[in-house]
Amino acid sequence: MRKASVILVLCAVAATAPLAGCQKVRARAELKKGNKYYKEENYKLALEQFEKGLQLDPGADFAWRSVGLTAMALYKPGDDSAANRKYADKAIDAFQRYMKAQPEDTKTPDYLMNVWVSSGRFDQAIAFLKQERQAHPGDASYDKKIVAVLIKANRFQDAYQWVSDHTPKDANLFYQISTQAWSKSYNDPSVSLDDRVKFVDLGLQAAQRAVDVKPDYMEAMVYYGLLYREKAKLTLDPKQKD
């Protein structure tokens, strides 16, 4: 009886092995179709094919990157419809799955950051960057990315505080804050008068800090002057304008 049971098990394995192989072959065919549609920029059909391939072969984790890139291509920043946000959700989930399967990949985290920022999920982006900063001590690029995301989120005060607390000798980051603060005042008509004043004052502080760190920082001096021109526009007192 025991011998017969072993034989039955072996027969079952032998029968299912070809089926598993067929699944993989069919999965590769679907993924190949997806690549074709992606190259033709037919992203909806490409996404369907990539997802079919993964359903047939969940072990084909390399395809999650294709799902993420395709969903990212379909996502339209600024469109808050439920259907559009699903593309962002799908892209984020796919990139995270791919990164888990392929942790050595260095490009996919940038794609993930792009979706988080373009869909307004700044807190998730910043939390991820802080985690990566801890994992890579001494890599200054993460401070630059954190500041860039905070500025994108219009959290200028937080960006200024981050540089002050973590990289107070980085004149370039203070300069970056000053230029973006000037741009908000000069180029963005949607900013209220009160907020414009706050942007200008913070920009002046940042420009001053940049020059304090690097006294010959000509670009920072230029923006210091440009920010004062903005301040003059916002001041009603004629003496203060002068």
Side-chain angles (χ1 to χ4, degrees), residues 52-70:
K52 281 182 184 177
L54 279 163
Q55 285 173 1
L56 289 167
D57 182 11
D61 47 39
F62 62 86
W64 282 114
R65 185 173 183 270
S66 297
V67 172
L69 289 171
T70 310

Side-chain angles (χ1 to χ4, degrees), residues 134-172:
Q134 277 191 326
H136 302 87
D139 189 340
S141 68
Y142 290 105
D143 289 304
K144 294 177 183 178
K145 290 176 182 177
I146 289 169
V147 169
V149 173
L150 287 169
I151 289 173
K152 186 74 175 177
N154 286 328
R155 292 164 56 180
F156 281 73
Q157 185 63 54
D158 289 342
Y160 180 84
Q161 196 61 52
W162 179 269
V163 180
S164 299
D165 291 344
H166 297 90
T167 57
K169 297 298 183 183
D170 194 328
N172 291 332

Side-chain angles (χ1 to χ4, degrees), residues 1-241:
M1 284 294 291
R2 187 174 180 183
K3 187 175 180 181
S5 298
V6 171
I7 291 171
L8 287 172
V9 169
L10 290 173
C11 288
V13 171
T16 56
L19 290 176
C22 289
Q23 290 281 86
K24 287 182 182 292
V25 171
R26 288 172 57 201
R28 295 305 184 273
E30 299 295 349
L31 295 175
K32 189 175 180 180
K33 287 180 189 176
N35 286 330
K36 175 179 176 292
Y37 288 132
Y38 186 88
K39 288 177 182 177
E40 294 170 355
E41 298 185 8
N42 193 338
Y43 298 124
K44 285 189 178 180
L45 283 179
L47 186 59
E48 289 177 12
Q49 296 304 135
F50 290 138
E51 291 181 324
K52 281 182 184 177
L54 279 163
Q55 285 173 1
L56 289 167
D57 182 11
D61 47 39
F62 62 86
W64 282 114
R65 185 173 183 270
S66 297
V67 172
L69 289 171
T70 310
M72 184 171 71
L74 287 165
Y75 176 70
K76 296 179 177 62
D79 178 357
D80 283 333
S81 66
N84 189 54
R85 290 191 69 82
K86 279 184 181 178
Y87 287 130
D89 294 338
K90 197 178 289 287
I92 290 166
D93 178 65
F95 287 140
Q96 288 177 325
R97 286 173 181 264
Y98 181 78
M99 286 164 57
K100 186 177 181 180
Q102 306 287 340
E104 73 283 354
D105 181 85
T106 57
K107 190 63 181 174
T108 304
D110 291 336
Y111 297 139
L112 178 59
M113 286 293 303
N114 180 285
V115 181
W116 269 331
V117 171
S118 63
S119 62
R121 304 173 202 206
F122 301 112
D123 288 340
Q124 288 171 276
I126 292 166
F128 174 76
L129 287 172
K130 287 179 179 179
Q131 182 179 335
E132 289 296 294
R133 182 179 183 271
Q134 277 191 326
H136 302 87
D139 189 340
S141 68
Y142 290 105
D143 289 304
K144 294 177 183 178
K145 290 176 182 177
I146 289 169
V147 169
V149 173
L150 287 169
I151 289 173
K152 186 74 175 177
N154 286 328
R155 292 164 56 180
F156 281 73
Q157 185 63 54
D158 289 342
Y160 180 84
Q161 196 61 52
W162 179 269
V163 180
S164 299
D165 291 344
H166 297 90
T167 57
K169 297 298 183 183
D170 194 328
N172 291 332
L173 286 181
F174 283 120
Y175 170 69
Q176 181 183 347
I177 294 169
S178 71
T179 61
Q180 295 304 309
W182 172 84
S183 182
K184 287 297 290 185
S185 178
Y186 187 81
N187 292 316
D188 191 344
S190 68
V191 177
S192 68
L193 179 63
D194 288 343
D195 285 340
R196 201 179 297 273
V197 170
K198 291 176 184 176
F199 282 128
V200 169
D201 287 343
L202 185 65
L204 284 167
Q205 288 180 53
Q208 181 64 65
R209 291 288 296 274
V211 174
D212 288 343
V213 174
K214 187 178 176 183
D216 61 346
Y217 204 158
M218 181 57 69
E219 292 87 349
M221 295 179 197
V222 169
Y223 270 89
Y224 197 68
L226 290 172
L227 283 156
Y228 262 115
R229 291 166 79 93
E230 287 301 294
K231 192 172 180 67
K233 293 179 191 178
L234 303 170
T235 303
L236 298 177
D237 188 314
K239 290 183 179 179
Q240 288 184 351
K241 273 186 185 294

